[in-house]
Amino acid sequence: SQTIHQWPATLVQPVGSPLSLECTVEGTSNPNLYWYRQAAGRGLQLLFYSVGIGQISSEVPQNLSASRPQDRQFILSSKKLLLSDSGFYLCAWSVQGAHTGELFFGEGSRLTVL
Amino acid sequence: GQNIDQPTEMTATEGAIVQINCTYQTSGFNGLFWYQQHAGEAPTFLSYNVLDGLEEKGRFSSFLSRSKGYSYLLLKELQMKDSASYLCAVLDSNYQLIWGAGTKLIIKP
């Protein structure tokens, strides 16, 4: 069966510090991968998605970046965090080429920037 | 612009029935999805509608009217564990998911 894990689960970082959130998927090949951010009272905001190794699409211009160094690994990074980067970050995968909205989410990472 | 509207919060009683509505205005339509999200956890897939009508899955049912841009999620025989947020999302013409802000459902004994 397929599983998805992301870490760390919680993170408290000072403004201006770097960030690295990691996500790995097991049990499937060539998945679509996504990074979302969820702010209180708002819908999920798509940050990045990837259809293959090294292929990253950015939906929202910001100080975050994403990389996909391996087929089932997706990393969200920042060189300098802002207060506005606080939120609940979710990694997700879907079946490649299925054009489906059925996403499978990781456990989430709660980031607090102080 | 693209927009998904659903009530912010609803309250219902254990054992009762509740209907959560969702209206949408999107660039194209390739399906509507409902997800359940317990506090502090990730969303999990509940249902998918692409054709008009009712889809039933156990205690949960989801209805779609494409002409009205409207869907609802119906939860029967409510249990305390159904206390969660319910997210409505539409797959647009670019096959991107547009998400509503979610409806927080509070179940009272």
Side-chain angles (χ1 to χ4, degrees):
Chain A
S1 63
Q2 301 88 1
T3 58
I4 177 170
H5 296 292
Q6 63 177 103
W7 67 93
T10 58
L11 202 57
V12 180
Q13 292 286 104
V15 170
S17 65
L19 171 73
S20 180
L21 300 178
E22 295 195 32
C23 173
T24 59
V25 180
E26 298 294 334
T28 188
S29 296
N30 201 24
N32 294 326
L33 294 173
Y34 309 82
W35 277 112
Y36 281 92
R37 179 168 56 203
Q38 186 175 36
R42 302 185 65 180
L44 289 169
Q45 180 187 33
L46 179 63
L47 303 175
F48 300 95
Y49 71 93
S50 171
V51 298
I53 295 174
Q55 301 178 62
I56 309 294
S57 296
S58 175
E59 294 296 308
V60 182
Q62 56 208 323
N63 68 320
L64 299 173
S65 62
S67 62
R68 185 171 178 172
Q70 300 181 44
D71 180 45
R72 291 171 292 178
Q73 184 184 24
F74 207 22
I75 298 171
L76 182 69
S77 304
S78 175
K79 293 182 179 178
K80 288 185 177 182
L81 285 168
L82 306 173
L83 286 175
S84 58
D85 291 325
S86 293
F88 191 48
Y89 288 81
L90 290 158
C91 180
W93 73 273
S94 68
V95 176
Q96 176 71 269
H99 285 313
T100 175
E102 184 173 359
L103 302 180
F104 302 91
F105 288 89
E107 306 93 332
S109 299
R110 186 161 301 281
L111 171 65
T112 303
V113 183
L114 301 175
Chain B
Q2 308 204 83
N3 197 47
I4 309 280
D5 287 315
Q6 48 180 133
T8 302
E9 186 173 298
M10 299 182 69
T11 302
T13 304
E14 189 177 15
I17 299 173
V18 70
Q19 176 176 311
I20 302 174
N21 296 325
C22 171
T23 58
Y24 63 89
Q25 295 169 313
T26 56
S27 303
F29 179 84
N30 282 298
L32 186 141
F33 298 79
W34 285 95
Y35 282 77
Q36 180 190 58
Q37 184 177 23
H38 286 100
E41 299 181 7
T44 55
F45 170 79
L46 280 179
S47 68
Y48 165 61
N49 294 71
V50 66
L51 299 177
D52 289 351
L54 189 68
E55 294 283 341
E56 297 185 78
K57 190 185 293 185
R59 293 189 298 115
F60 293 5
S61 303
S62 56
F63 172 82
L64 174 68
S65 169
R66 287 172 297 171
S67 62
K68 296 182 179 178
Y70 167 70
S71 172
Y72 67 73
L73 180 68
L74 191 71
L75 290 75
K76 303 177 184 177
E77 302 171 14
L78 285 170
Q79 302 175 10
M80 297 303 294
K81 68 178 181 179
D82 297 330
S83 292
S85 288
Y86 292 85
L87 312 180
C88 175
V90 171
L91 201 61
D92 71 7
S93 57
N94 293 320
Y95 293 96
Q96 295 294 332
L97 272 176
I98 310 301
W99 295 84
T103 298
K104 182 178 181 180
L105 177 62
I106 299 169
I107 309 297
K108 294 186 175 181

